[in-house]
Amino acid sequence: MTIKLSYEIGKNDFAKAGTASSSIKKVLRQLGISADLIRRVAVATYEAEMNIVIHSDGGNIILQVIPEKIQITALDRGPGIADIDMAMKEGYSTAPEEVREMGFGAGMGLPNMKRCADEFSITSSLGNPTELIIVFNI
Amino acid sequence: MNLREVQRLLDAEILCGEEAMDGEVNTVFACDLMSDVLAFNENKTLLVTGLVNPHVIRTAEMMDINAIVFVRGKVPDEETLNLAKENGIVILGTKNILYTSCGILYKSGLIGAKISSE
């Protein structure tokens, strides 16, 4: 069983935000993955999807399912993160006020993704794309 | 606790999901910050919130939350309700404020959900 699906995520596209995570959740359910694991993947993916919508110039969420592993890759087109250590701190956020009014931007996204995942890596620098690789053991 | 009991205690209106009102909830998470809702990890949790937008439903969907109470008489728009219907999520609306809603539910035996870092 090998699956690879890619979803385009638009900058500031709040109307569509969450639809990729919703689709991924449904795919995993069809594959018979356990409910607890699906929830961890769904939460991490949704956080990553919201981050692309809120902070980036747009990008993609890619789901890969290989035997024993589920991998979510979130790759945007910039503008990159100046200080990854700060971004990983709970409560640190650069989200604008209108995003906070929607209930997001509490600075919990990246730490929450890491907590949900079995393996988590982030690659970014200012002026470059950000890539998150989030891996779950099945 | 049965959702019909939640409805009765909060004098709430069923805004959608009438057919799923026999569902049970074991804990409550009350919050207007969806980022924090995404950080707990329990089953059969009731979300009580004053934030009314489609992202609340998306958040509930990701968390397997099957029932939401909107407090302070807030009425969700059609898009929000349709998304809840699609996902089989019960939506209740109460005129009680968040604090009062939580007090009533807590007094009746519903405890708070634990966040994952606890």
Side-chain angles (χ1 to χ4, degrees):
Chain A
M1 176 178 73
T2 306
I3 289 174
K4 186 171 181 179
L5 294 168
S6 181
Y7 301 84
E8 173 78 26
I9 314 295
K11 176 185 182 177
N12 288 328
D13 190 356
F14 289 99
K16 243 184 93 186
T19 52
S21 307
S22 180
S23 299
I24 286 171
K25 197 171 183 197
K26 289 183 180 87
V27 169
L28 295 178
R29 202 177 291 147
Q30 280 166 7
L31 294 176
I33 307 289
S34 76
D36 279 352
L37 178 55
I38 290 177
R39 180 160 61 173
R40 280 166 51 212
V41 176
V43 167
T45 308
Y46 186 50
E47 295 273 22
E49 185 175 358
M50 290 309 290
N51 271 5
I52 292 178
V53 172
I54 295 166
H55 296 288
S56 84
D57 298 330
N60 285 81
I61 297 268
I62 300 146
L63 165 72
Q64 285 170 281
V65 184
I66 54 168
E68 313 301 322
K69 278 187 199 304
I70 297 167
Q71 179 172 316
I72 299 289
T73 307
L75 177 63
D76 69 25
R77 292 187 279 273
I81 299 170
D83 188 336
I84 292 177
D85 287 342
M86 283 300 283
M88 288 301 297
K89 279 206 178 114
E90 286 193 4
Y92 177 81
S93 176
T94 58
E97 190 54 35
E98 63 263 31
V99 168
R100 293 171 195 252
E101 281 167 13
M102 274 187 258
F104 292 91
M108 297 298 286
L110 288 170
N112 200 20
M113 285 178 229
K114 190 176 178 183
R115 190 181 53 78
C116 288
D118 290 303
E119 294 167 46
F120 176 86
S121 75
I122 176 166
T123 312
S124 185
S125 60
L126 207 55
N128 291 301
T130 296
E131 183 179 51
L132 305 178
I133 297 177
I134 315 167
V135 180
F136 304 84
N137 300 327
I138 296 174
Chain B
M1 183 185 289
N2 187 285
L3 288 173
R4 291 201 186 281
E5 183 68 3
V6 173
Q7 182 205 358
R8 190 187 64 79
L9 287 166
L10 297 179
D11 193 18
E13 190 183 343
I14 305 171
L15 301 176
C16 83
E18 171 79 57
E19 66 288 348
M21 285 295 290
D22 289 324
E24 294 275 329
V25 287
N26 297 334
T27 57
V28 175
F29 199 95
C31 181
D32 286 354
L33 199 53
M34 294 304 110
S35 299
D36 281 354
V37 175
L38 286 162
F40 79 87
N41 189 16
E42 276 185 43
N43 274 321
K44 295 195 175 172
T45 298
L46 177 72
L47 175 62
V48 183
T49 182
L51 186 72
V52 179
N53 67 42
H55 301 294
V56 176
I57 311 296
R58 281 285 180 221
T59 301
E61 180 195 355
M62 299 310 151
M63 295 294 294
D64 297 327
I65 289 172
N66 297 323
I68 302 170
V69 178
F70 289 128
V71 298
R72 303 194 287 273
K74 302 248 176 172
V75 181
D77 61 14
E78 203 173 327
E79 187 192 355
T80 304
L81 281 178
N82 284 340
L83 197 55
K85 278 179 203 155
E86 265 173 45
N87 286 286
I89 296 170
V90 173
I91 305 289
L92 301 176
T94 178
K95 291 199 166 59
N96 288 304
I97 61 167
L98 184 61
Y99 181 78
T100 306
S101 303
C102 294
I104 292 169
L105 294 175
Y106 194 89
K107 204 172 73 177
S108 306
L110 270 183
I111 55 164
K114 287 190 172 66
I115 58 169
S116 299
S117 55
E118 279 182 1

